């Protein structure tokens, strides 16, 4: 029981550190309203060179792209087209 308690406490201290270390670079697939009462998939990709693109419908074609900047906990998006 003491080992479990120590392990649990260790997880509580390490978890916030791992959450702070998450990177914004990557791809995410989300579901958004489609305007007809349903939902459609949307894939958002943020690149290390501060560019992003959005694939509405997750069909492989990029409908929106641009640049972003991060300052503290604020993300600013500049839309190039879309």
């Amino acid at each position: 029981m003491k080992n479990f308690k120590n392990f649990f406490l260790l997880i509580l201290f390490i978890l916030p550190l791992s959450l702070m270390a998450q990177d914004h670079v990557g791809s995410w697939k989300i579901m958004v309203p489609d305007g007809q009462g349903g939902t459609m998939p949307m894939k958002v990709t943020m690149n290390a060179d501060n560019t992003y693109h959005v694939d509405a419908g997750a069909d492989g074609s990029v409908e929106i792209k641009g640049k972003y900047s991060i300052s503290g906990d604020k993300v600013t998006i500049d839309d190039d087209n879309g």
Side-chain angles (χ1 to χ4, degrees):
M1 186 67 160
K2 185 177 179 181
N3 286 340
F4 177 75
K5 181 181 173 184
N6 289 339
F7 177 72
F8 183 71
L9 289 173
L10 179 66
I11 294 299
L12 286 179
F13 285 111
I14 291 177
L15 184 60
L17 295 175
S18 68
L19 292 175
M20 288 188 310
Q22 288 184 354
D23 196 358
H24 63 278
V25 174
S27 294
W28 296 269
K29 187 174 179 183
I30 57 175
M31 300 301 287
V32 296
D34 65 3
Q36 299 170 357
T39 59
M40 70 174 198
M42 183 175 287
K43 184 178 177 185
V44 179
T45 302
M46 296 181 81
N47 302 305
D49 64 354
N50 287 17
T51 61
Y52 74 92
H53 61 268
V54 179
D55 175 2
D59 57 2
S61 64
V62 173
E63 284 78 24
I64 304 168
K65 63 181 177 177
K67 295 182 180 185
Y68 68 90
S69 61
I70 298 177
S71 178
D73 62 352
K74 183 179 178 182
V75 177
T76 302
I77 304 271
D78 292 316
D79 184 15
D80 288 344
N81 71 354

